[in-house]
Amino acid sequence: MTHLFQPLPLRGLTLPNRIAVSPMCQYQATDGLANDWHLVHLGGLAQGGAGLVITEATAVVPEGRISPDDLGLWNEAQAKALARIAHFIASQGAVPGIQLAHAGRKASNPAPWKGGGSIPLAAGGWTPVAPSALPFDEGWTVPTALDEPGILAVIEAFMDAARRAVAAGFRVIEVHAAHGYLLHQFLSPLSNHRADAYGGSFENRTRLVREVVGALRNILPEDLPLLVRISASDWMEGGWTPDESVALAKELGALGVDLVDCSSGGLVPRAQIPLGPGYQVPFAARIRAEAGLPTGAVGLITGAEQAEQILAQGSADLVLLGRELLRDPRWPLHAAQALGAEISWPASYLRAAQGQVPTRQPLPPTSR
């Protein structure tokens, strides 16, 4: 058996293989509601053979959306719309997961193809919140620094969204603490200039992430895994570092986190990131080795042999694919074929799995 297609036990459930759909914003929601686009997008990826299908960053409050077109989970109507998708994912043999998020100072932006920067208030934008009143970039809306009641409200919002997610049928919860969004903003000295219990030292800067994780672990069913996505490096002098990521991972493990999803960057514009195949895998490998916690590797993983090697070398326990799955939603089925592994195909697609190529029938003559 290949490593890529070995089951992965996480707490009380088992993923059928080590391939996960990385959360990818679609910018197709209205008022945070999932619709047919999300059903077809996520459902198709479940049909394609991924063991874990994670929704895009799903905002826990309206002002926590990256854009007005993002998914949300702050009310029951949104939970009902997502339940339909979670049910379909599970019906295809995949595990439905959801990423819960708050965009912080990077909120109130248009979809990428509509331009960049903050949406003006007069055009339907809103004032974002952050650990400190520091905008993401020049020309962006200056956020409001959260006070302590505001921080407590964020924790409560994550808890409420997690309860709705479980009731909707999601079996894996991931906390988004990466890519320059709110929880990552608290972690990094570049965006967190606070002088209270949530700023300054490593212990203080990591406090909100630890409080969110601890609160969720306390309310989630014991058998459901809790994942955290982090940016293991800001790729910027004076920012969050890989050493701090290892230290945080150790604390997350003690709080009941089951896997750390290792990404990087996103906190500041124009960071110098050395992009290349599997460029973030060393972060997953180091955290796995030094923190003793399962990890997920993500970032420019495109080939079956490449993914297999990451797992075979012990660099990670799970590979998460994003853009490659947009290009080829059936990537897991094709990877199994390439590696000589067995994988279940949807019954309606078995003709393709068996390599049957129907003979093309000649077209009838056309009359003019």
Side-chain angles (χ1 to χ4, degrees):
M1 181 181 289
T2 64
H3 293 81
L4 191 60
F5 290 96
Q6 286 183 7
L8 175 61
L10 287 175
R11 203 167 279 264
L13 63 78
T14 299
L15 305 184
N17 57 52
R18 307 295 180 103
I19 303 167
V21 175
S22 189
M24 293 177 280
C25 290
Q26 297 298 295
Y27 308 102
Q28 296 288 346
T30 301
D31 297 328
L33 287 164
N35 54 43
D36 287 349
W37 175 275
H38 304 92
L39 175 65
V40 172
H41 165 65
L42 295 167
L45 294 171
Q47 289 176 323
L52 172 63
V53 178
I54 309 177
T55 69
E56 65 188 76
T58 303
V60 297
V61 289
E63 64 272 19
R65 290 172 294 169
I66 302 166
S67 83
D69 309 311
D70 287 3
L71 288 181
L73 194 48
W74 61 82
N75 64 42
E76 295 305 316
Q78 294 160 347
K80 182 178 179 181
L82 284 166
R84 176 186 178 215
I85 296 170
H87 175 77
F88 184 82
I89 291 171
S91 76
Q92 301 306 300
V95 174
I98 189 167
Q99 186 186 66
L100 301 180
H102 190 305
R105 70 180 187 177
K106 292 178 77 174
S108 189
N109 285 267
W113 55 85
K114 297 179 181 177
S118 300
I119 300 173
L121 299 181
W126 59 90
T127 301
V129 297
S132 303
L134 303 169
F136 174 69
D137 199 2
E138 293 181 11
W140 288 54
T141 302
V142 176
T144 300
L146 283 165
D147 56 16
E148 189 164 338
I151 290 173
L152 295 177
V154 166
I155 298 170
E156 287 290 336
F158 271 94
M159 293 170 67
D160 289 343
R163 291 188 184 99
R164 292 189 180 100
V166 172
F170 290 97
R171 313 313 293 162
V172 170
I173 306 296
E174 178 171 272
V175 173
H176 199 353
H179 300 166
Y181 299 122
L182 183 65
L183 299 186
H184 183 188
Q185 291 161 29
F186 271 86
L187 293 176
S188 178
L190 296 176
S191 49
N192 183 345
H193 292 186
R194 301 175 73 95
D196 62 0
Y198 290 91
S201 67
F202 170 83
E203 179 183 5
N204 286 354
R205 285 183 284 112
T206 62
R207 188 180 305 278
L208 179 56
V209 172
R210 291 184 285 110
E211 289 180 344
V212 168
V213 165
L216 295 195
R217 187 69 271 172
N218 284 338
I219 64 167
L220 289 175
E222 179 62 27
D223 62 331
L224 294 194
L226 178 61
L227 282 53
V228 177
R229 170 166 276 192
I230 65 169
S231 279
S233 173
D234 284 341
W235 301 107
M236 182 68 70
E237 185 176 352
W240 180 258
T241 68
D243 288 344
E244 290 177 307
S245 294
V246 171
L248 175 61
K250 291 177 180 178
E251 299 202 16
L252 295 178
L255 289 168
V257 167
D258 300 288
L259 183 143
V260 177
D261 178 359
C262 302
S263 190
S264 70
L267 184 88
V268 292
R270 295 174 289 280
Q272 299 300 307
I273 301 176
L275 295 174
Y279 70 103
Q280 296 172 149
V281 173
F283 297 133
R286 182 180 173 191
I287 289 172
R288 187 176 190 266
E290 297 182 26
L293 200 60
T295 59
V298 64
L300 296 183
I301 298 171
T302 58
E305 292 288 352
Q306 177 194 16
E308 174 70 11
Q309 186 178 41
I310 290 167
L311 299 173
Q313 292 177 341
S315 296
D317 300 271
L318 183 72
V319 292
L320 297 100
L321 280 72
R323 280 168 284 186
E324 188 62 20
L325 284 173
L326 297 183
R327 289 185 281 264
D328 180 8
R330 306 289 186 253
W331 188 93
L333 302 180
H334 300 150
Q337 183 179 34
L339 297 172
E342 291 187 3
I343 187 172
S344 296
W345 283 59
S348 298
Y349 294 171
L350 285 178
R351 285 171 294 181
Q354 295 163 357
Q356 297 174 355
V357 181
T359 303
R360 184 174 178 180
Q361 298 298 317
L363 295 173
T366 343
S367 51
R368 294 183 181 273

